[in-house]
Structures are given as structure tokens and as C-alpha cells.
């Protein structure tokens, strides 16, 4: 079995197990058997680290149901191959050649050596950030909810934030904490670092270590690091300015807040579409312009190697660099004085076309199943599902069963990736030595 099929089937297996667990009477707060569609939707949303929910997790599910959701989010955030590899390491088994090749391809590593160490480092990084997030959130939750409930709220929201899932145990998500700098800052940092990728965090750590130790040798950052950091900062800045300028006159989102809280809310609203799903304002009351900006940020998503979804920041930079090269009349695509290989350009185009096609197809289908819904609401919901964000205008629980099934498939496609899914269905592409004659074509 190919790696792509292993990953795709692995996610389906985890979703199926999660669905069964969430259907059990001990998973619901009223002790009855859960609706299969609700269980399937919640399990898919958790494994795909989306955060969309057709019910209120804080009241609908029991502690065990919430615990299962948390475990599913953790597995989904780490990824199927990383999770299974970690289990292999725990029981002390050694990797055979096939498993090493699978890990190499799943983690996109140049070689097969050191894969076990990389897995350990990823797990350690995850635990460090999540535990730090728990301790930072405790002062916000314990005074109001007590030690037991406060600790569980901190654990649940820290894990969901790091894995870029948007599940919350509060009825209004995080709207009640829109003025809390501690909660907004902690959740934001977990979202950003969780979505920026392990490799970027490692390079950042090595750079800080060298600065602390006052080493004279300068570290050379990889192209992945430069693109991920710069694009993330640009998108965050653009998002803050755009949301602040557009929503400041909206009395139902920003208008009733003071300047400090407006800036805090604008910051969080710029962070959360990439791709976490927490919200400190009522998304359904945003202006149409604000919703479209959110849709654009959701579609772009996080960075490769992170826990977020979307088209990815590197894909955006490759495509914009292609456009820049064409406008300047250049025949090479450059990024930070490095030439981008044609294979990467083709892959970026494939990701863009596949992503747009998936969103359009799902939007059309839901428009047919639920014709009474506004187009902007449907598009927002579909992009949120595909980019594994979890933000919603409030229609998730009211849509038809057919629409819920469409969103389930959309979340799955968005999590495993369009190209990986096509590779699993059609088989891994094989290089060919056949070359065809070149001919010009009118474009644009």
C-alpha cells in the first residue's frame, strides 16, 4: 500500500473509531445514545482539527465525550503517521524499511535517517507549548470555575488552540473573554506557533540558543523559514488593519468596544482564521466585507508542517512570485534570491486549482440541498470546513443532513490534502521519459 493510501485510510480509521466512541451513552451529558450524524460530524471535525460543531460541546457531551474529542484533536493535529510512529516508539519496536520510507514521505524529509528523533522532537515541542498554554490559562479560568473545572477548561482550550481546532466548552466560544489580554494572548500564540510548523520553531529555537550563547557564527535560515515567517507577519498585519477599518463602525462587533478592546479583537480576528476557529465576536453579525476578508484568510491558511489547514502560506508566495516574474518579464521564479523549481510551481498550481474546485463543488451542492441559505453563509461554511478552520456564521447546526455530510467530506479532503487524496485514489505519479514538442498558446 502506498504512503498516500496509508495516510488517507488511517484518518478514516481514526474518524470511524471516534464516531463509535462519541455515539456511546457515556459520551453524552444526558446518558443516551448519540445521533450517528452528530457523532460522525464531531469526530471528523475533531480529527481534521476543524472545530465546526452541530451541537454545543460544553453541554451536549459529557466529560468522557469531551475527553474523546480532545484526544481526536491531538491525533489529528499531530497527523496519522506521526501518531502511529510515536506509538511504535513507545512499545519499543524498531522501524523496518517500509516504515522509514513512509515517515520520510509523510514528514517531507530529504532522507530516512533520524526520523525517530524528529518524531520525539515534534512530540516534545507539542507538549511544551500545550503545557505552557495550560498554566497560562489557569489564572483566567480557576477563579470563576474552581480547580477541577478550571483545569479541564485550560487543558481543553490549550490543546485545541495548539492544534488549530476551534472547539470551545463555552456557549459563546471566547466572546466572554474578548477583553482578557491573558486569554487572547495565550490562545493567539498557541494558534500561531501551532500553525507555523515544527521546522520553523526548531530554527527559531536554534537561533535564540546561538544568541544566548553569543556564538559568532550566523545561522543560515532555510527558505521555508523565511517564507513562513514573513508571510505570516504580513497576513497578520493586513488582517488587523482590514478588520479594524471595516468593522469599527459595526455596532454589533467592534462599535460598542473601547479602543483597547477593538485592537485586541482585531488582532484575534486576524489570527483565528489561520486556521483555528475560535472567535471573540459574533461571526454571524460581521459585515459582508469582513466575512469576505475572513474567507480569504481561511482559504490561505497556515504553513506546511503545522497543525493548520488551507492552501498554505508557501503556496501563496510561490504563486505571487510567479505573477511577479511574469510582470517583470523574467523566465525564472525567485524567492529570497533562490530559484523555485518548476515541480514546486506545478504543485502550487495544482493545490490552488484543486482547492478552488473543491470549494466550488461543495458550495454548489449545499446550495442545492439548502436553497434558503444565503450564498455568503454557504461559502463561508464550506471554506471554513475545507481549510479546517471551524469559524461559522451560526448555520452549522441548522443545515440539512445532506449538507452536513457534504461538509464532512469537505473537512476530510481539506485535512488530508487534495493532491494526497488524488494520489491515493489514482496511485502515485510515475515519472516519464517521453517528451513532446513545444508549442505556444495564447493565455490571458
Amino acid at each position: 500500500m502506498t504512503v498516500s493510501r496509508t495516510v488517507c485510510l488511517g484518518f478514516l480509521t481514526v474518524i470511524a473509531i471516534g464516531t463509535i466512541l462519541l455515539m456511546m451513552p457515556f459520551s453524552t451529558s444526558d446518558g443516551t445514545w448519540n445521533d450517528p450524524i452528530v457523532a460522525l460530524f464531531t469526530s471528523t471535525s475533531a480529527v481534521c482539527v476543524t472545530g465546526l460543531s452541530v451541537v454545543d460541546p460544553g453541554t451536549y457531551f459529557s466529560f468522557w465525550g469531551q475527553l474523546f474529542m480532545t484526544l481526536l484533536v491531538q491525533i489529528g493535529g499531530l497527523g496519522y503517521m506521526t501518531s502511529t510512529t510515536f506509538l511504535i516508539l513507545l512499545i519499543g519496536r524498531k522501524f523496518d524499511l517500509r516504515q522509514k520510507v513512509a515517515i520520510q514521505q509523510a514528514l517531507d524529509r530529504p532522507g530516512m535517517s533520524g526520523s525517530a528523533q524528529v518524531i520525539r522532537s515534534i512530540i516534545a515541542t507539542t507538549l511544551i507549548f500545550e503545557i505552557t498554554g495550560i498554566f497560562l490559562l489557569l489564572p483566567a479560568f480557576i477563579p470563576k470555575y474552581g480547580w477541577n473545572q478550571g483545569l479541564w477548561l485550560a487543558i481543553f482550550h490549550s490543546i485545541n488552540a495548539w492544534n488549530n481546532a476551534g472547539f470551545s466548552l463555552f456557549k459563546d466560544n471566547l466572546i466572554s473573554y474578548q477583553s482578557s489580554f491573558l486569554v487572547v494572548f495565550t490562545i493567539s500564540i498557541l494558534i500561531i506557533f501551532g500553525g507555523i510548523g515544527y521546522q520553523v520553531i526548531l530554527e527559531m529555537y536554534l537561533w535564540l540558543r546561538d544568541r544566548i550563547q553569543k556564538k559568532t557564527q550566523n545561522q543560515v535560515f532555510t527558505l521555508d523559514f523565511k517564507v513562513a515567517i514573513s508571510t505570516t507577519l504580513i497576513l497578520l498585519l493586513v488582517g488587523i488593519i482590514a478588520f479594524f477599518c471595516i468593522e469599527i463602525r459595526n455596532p454589533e462587533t467592534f462599535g460598542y468596544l473601547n479602543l483597547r478592546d477593538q485592537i485586541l479583537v482585531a488582532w484575534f480576528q486576524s489570527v483565528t482564521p489561520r486556521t483555528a476557529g475560535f472567535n471573540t465576536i459574533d461571526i454571524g453579525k460581521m459585515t459582508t466585507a469582513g466575512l469576505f476578508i475572513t474567507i480569504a484568510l481561511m482559504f490561505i491558511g497556515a504553513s506546511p508542517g503545522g497543525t493548520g489547514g488551507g492552501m498554505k502560506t508557501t503556496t501563496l508566495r510561490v504563486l505571487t512570485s510567479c505573477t511577479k516574474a511574469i510582470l517583470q518579464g523574467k523566465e525564472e521564479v525567485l524567492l529570497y534570491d533562490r530559484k523555485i523549481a518548476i515541480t514546486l510551481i506545478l504543485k502550487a498550481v495544482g493545490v490552488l486549482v484543486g482547492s478552488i474546485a473543491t470549494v466550488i463543488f461543495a458550495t454548489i451542492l449545499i446550495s442545492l440541498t439548502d436553497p434558503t441559505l444565503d450564498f455568503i453563509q454557504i461559502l463561508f461554511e464550506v471554506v471554513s470546513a475545507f481549510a479546517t478552520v471551524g469559524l461559522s456564521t451560526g448555520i452549522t447546526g441548522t443545515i440539512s443532513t445532506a449538507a452536513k455530510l457534504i461538509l464532512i467530506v469537505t473537512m476530510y479532503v481539506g485535512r488530508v490534502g487534495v493532491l494526497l487524496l488524488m494520489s491515493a485514489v489514482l496511485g502515485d505519479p510515475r515519472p516519464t521519459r517521453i517528451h513532446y514538442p513545444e508549442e505556444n498558446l495564447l493565455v490571458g
Side-chain angles (χ1 to χ4, degrees), residues 2 7 36 74 80 96 110 138 158 186 197 204 213 222 252-253 263 287 303-304 308 312 335 339 355 372 375 384 397:
T2 62
V7 173
Q74 189 73 83
Y80 172 73
D96 56 27
L138 284 176
S158 179
T186 303
M204 198 178 299
Q213 295 179 354
T222 63
E252 295 184 292
T253 55
I263 295 174
T287 61
S303 300
K312 300 297 170 57
L335 260 176
K339 179 182 176 181
S355 300
T372 58
F375 170 75
S384 180

Side-chain angles (χ1 to χ4, degrees), residues 175-377:
I175 295 178
S176 300
Y177 292 92
Q178 63 182 191
S179 301
S180 173
F181 180 83
L182 177 62
V183 173
V184 170
F185 173 79
T186 303
I187 298 294
S188 298
I189 294 301
L190 288 172
I191 291 170
I192 292 172
F193 279 93
I196 209 168
Y198 163 77
Q199 184 62 37
V200 174
I201 295 175
L202 177 61
E203 289 190 50
M204 198 178 299
Y205 162 75
L206 294 175
W207 179 81
L208 288 173
R209 186 194 64 182
D210 292 344
R211 286 293 176 272
I212 293 172
Q213 295 179 354
K214 297 180 179 180
K215 291 186 176 180
T216 56
Q217 185 178 2
N218 292 326
Q219 180 181 345
V220 179
F221 292 112
T222 63
L223 187 60
D224 281 318
F225 179 91
K226 295 176 182 177
V227 171
I229 291 292
S230 61
T231 309
T232 297
L233 292 176
I234 291 171
L235 291 174
L236 287 174
L237 181 61
V238 170
I240 293 170
I241 296 173
F243 286 121
F244 186 84
C245 294
I246 290 173
E247 294 292 329
I248 193 170
R249 296 181 181 178
N250 187 345
E252 295 184 292
T253 55
F254 282 43
Y256 67 94
L257 301 172
N258 58 46
L259 181 60
R260 172 192 175 275
D261 290 348
Q262 286 175 342
I263 295 174
L264 204 60
V265 169
W267 157 259
F268 194 80
Q269 190 58 33
S270 179
V271 171
T272 191
R274 322 250 332 286
T275 57
F278 289 107
N279 58 283
T280 54
I281 58 172
D282 188 342
I283 302 297
K285 294 179 180 178
M286 291 180 68
T287 61
T288 303
L291 290 176
F292 264 106
I293 292 173
T294 306
I295 288 172
L297 291 175
M298 289 193 300
F299 188 76
I300 294 169
S303 300
T307 57
M311 185 180 67
K312 300 297 170 57
T313 54
T314 49
T315 303
L316 174 67
R317 288 297 295 274
V318 169
L319 294 172
T320 53
S321 297
C322 287
T323 305
K324 180 181 177 182
I326 291 296
L327 294 176
Q328 293 178 341
K330 296 180 179 179
E331 296 183 355
E332 293 182 343
V333 177
L334 301 178
L335 260 176
Y336 294 101
D337 298 326
R338 293 293 185 271
K339 179 182 176 181
I340 304 300
I342 187 65
T343 52
L344 291 179
I345 297 174
L346 293 175
K347 184 177 180 180
V349 173
V351 169
L352 176 64
V353 173
S355 300
I356 293 176
T358 303
V359 169
I360 291 175
F361 188 60
T363 303
I364 292 173
L365 289 179
I366 296 180
S367 299
L368 293 174
T369 60
D370 295 60
T372 58
L373 294 176
D374 292 337
F375 170 75
I376 185 67
Q377 290 181 315

Side-chain angles (χ1 to χ4, degrees), residues 74-90 107 115-131 162-163 198 201 305 307:
Q74 189 73 83
I75 294 172
L78 289 172
Y80 172 73
M81 287 306 302
T82 302
S83 301
T84 53
T85 303
F86 180 64
L87 291 177
I88 292 174
L89 290 173
L90 281 180
L107 298 178
S115 295
Q117 184 60 39
V118 171
I119 296 295
R120 292 189 184 96
S121 300
I122 292 175
I123 300 296
T125 302
T126 298
L127 292 176
I128 289 172
F129 273 92
E130 289 179 348
I131 293 173
W162 168 259
N163 290 288
Y198 163 77
I201 295 175
T307 57

